[in-house]
Amino acid sequence: MQAVNQSIQMRTRSPGFRRAWLSWIGIIAVLVLWQIIVMLRVYPEFIIPAPLTVIERFGEALSDGTLLNHAGATVVPMVSGLVIGVTAAVLIGTLLAKSRTLEAILSPLIIAVQSTPVVAYAPLLVIWFGTDMKGKVVTSALIVFFPMLLNTTVGIRSVPSLMLDLMRSLNATRWQTFTKLEIPYALPILLGGLKVSATLAVIGAVVGEFVAADAGLGRLINQARYSFDTPLVVVAVITLAVIARVMYGMISMLERRLLFWQRRQM
């Protein structure tokens, strides 16, 4: 019994347990503030519905399959766009990190595309790739490309020259230097970029759905907005936030597994 109590005490004192409780405190505080605003009637209920009304609407949308169908139509292109965008960014970012000439050639084009809001060229992507999943995949891939490209370039270039000289003195090939030194050294920066990209992928998919789509949470938000179904709009927005948080959490778990050696050094 004493061992069980000690185990419980250790868990409650752990930083992860403390962060989890603080997160729940923040969520509860938002719900309380939300309910107070509704009770004070600062805005009509059709503009800011009560939390209980949103929960009831969530149950309805979940039971009739509306929420799951639209969420699935958003998640599939989002994940596909994330994989394509991250893969392309890592490949091109590695080339840019190795070649200043290639960077000088491609940087103006990359910056021009990325500095333009995705909402501006999303209609063109819909015209070129259609209103089905391809348009949403391309939009997600483009919006996650630049952050991952930047992190890849910075990460690869952050390897100290002394360590590169050491690999050359050991007669390591370029591939061995890349896989044994550059990638492990840049991994923390790469995973940081992957976290940002995972959340941006959700934005990319939804932007494509706002412009034109047959299904998806963005499409559901548009439909609910036009019919003044504000609780359903809130349900869709919260679902998007949960999807983004799950993606972020999965990459955080991957980060803890791959960077376990950092915790040992602390």
Side-chain angles (χ1 to χ4, degrees):
M1 188 67 180
Q2 184 177 1
V4 174
N5 291 334
Q6 290 178 352
S7 176
I8 295 175
Q9 291 177 0
M10 291 177 62
R11 290 182 180 178
T12 55
R13 293 175 183 175
S14 65
F17 184 85
R18 185 170 180 270
R19 286 195 298 268
W21 270 108
L22 289 176
S23 299
W24 278 107
I25 290 174
I27 294 173
I28 293 171
V30 170
L31 290 175
V32 171
L33 179 61
W34 181 2
Q35 183 61 42
I36 290 174
I37 293 174
V38 172
M39 292 174 63
L40 293 176
R41 299 185 182 277
V42 178
Y43 293 98
E45 189 171 353
F46 74 90
I47 295 179
I48 300 183
L52 185 59
T53 304
V54 174
I55 293 173
E56 293 176 352
R57 192 68 182 90
F58 173 81
E60 294 173 1
L62 190 63
S63 61
D64 62 16
T66 300
L67 187 61
L68 291 178
N69 291 335
H70 285 283
T74 297
V75 170
V76 173
M78 179 197 72
V79 175
S80 301
L82 177 65
V83 172
I84 294 172
V86 167
T87 302
V90 171
L91 294 176
I92 297 176
T94 302
L95 295 176
L96 295 181
K98 299 287 186 180
S99 174
R100 297 283 182 177
T101 303
L102 186 62
E103 181 184 14
I105 295 173
L106 294 181
S107 288
L109 177 61
I110 294 173
I111 293 174
V113 172
Q114 199 62 35
S115 61
T116 306
V118 67
V119 179
Y121 54 77
L124 287 176
L125 298 178
V126 171
I127 294 173
W128 293 340
F129 298 99
T131 60
D132 56 359
M133 190 174 71
K134 289 186 293 184
K136 293 188 285 185
V137 170
V138 174
T139 307
S140 294
L142 283 175
I143 201 170
V144 307
F145 177 78
F146 186 75
M148 199 65 200
L149 176 74
L150 184 62
N151 280 47
T152 302
T153 305
V154 172
I156 296 297
R157 287 181 177 171
S158 65
V159 180
S161 57
L162 290 176
M163 299 183 72
L164 292 173
D165 292 337
L166 177 61
M167 294 297 287
R168 294 190 191 99
S169 67
L170 295 174
N171 294 324
T173 62
R174 289 186 177 182
W175 178 251
Q176 289 174 330
T177 301
F178 179 69
T179 56
K180 303 297 183 182
L181 174 62
E182 292 174 337
I183 288 296
Y185 199 92
L187 198 56
I189 301 177
L190 293 176
L191 290 172
L194 188 58
K195 284 182 178 179
V196 176
S197 298
T199 55
L200 289 177
V202 181
I203 299 175
V206 173
V207 167
E209 292 167 355
F210 277 154
V211 176
D214 298 328
L217 291 173
R219 171 75 172 178
L220 182 63
I221 290 173
N222 275 336
Q223 291 177 340
R225 182 185 63 179
Y226 292 139
S227 61
F228 296 98
D229 191 353
T230 308
L232 185 58
V233 174
V234 178
V235 167
V237 170
I238 293 176
T239 304
L240 286 171
V242 170
I243 292 172
R245 185 62 185 88
V246 169
M247 295 289 293
Y248 187 92
M250 292 174 63
I251 297 173
S252 296
M253 292 176 58
L254 178 64
E255 183 181 43
R256 287 194 294 270
R257 288 182 176 274
L258 295 178
L259 302 181
F260 63 92
W261 49 271
Q262 284 188 340
R263 297 197 301 273
R264 292 179 180 177
Q265 293 177 354
M266 296 177 59

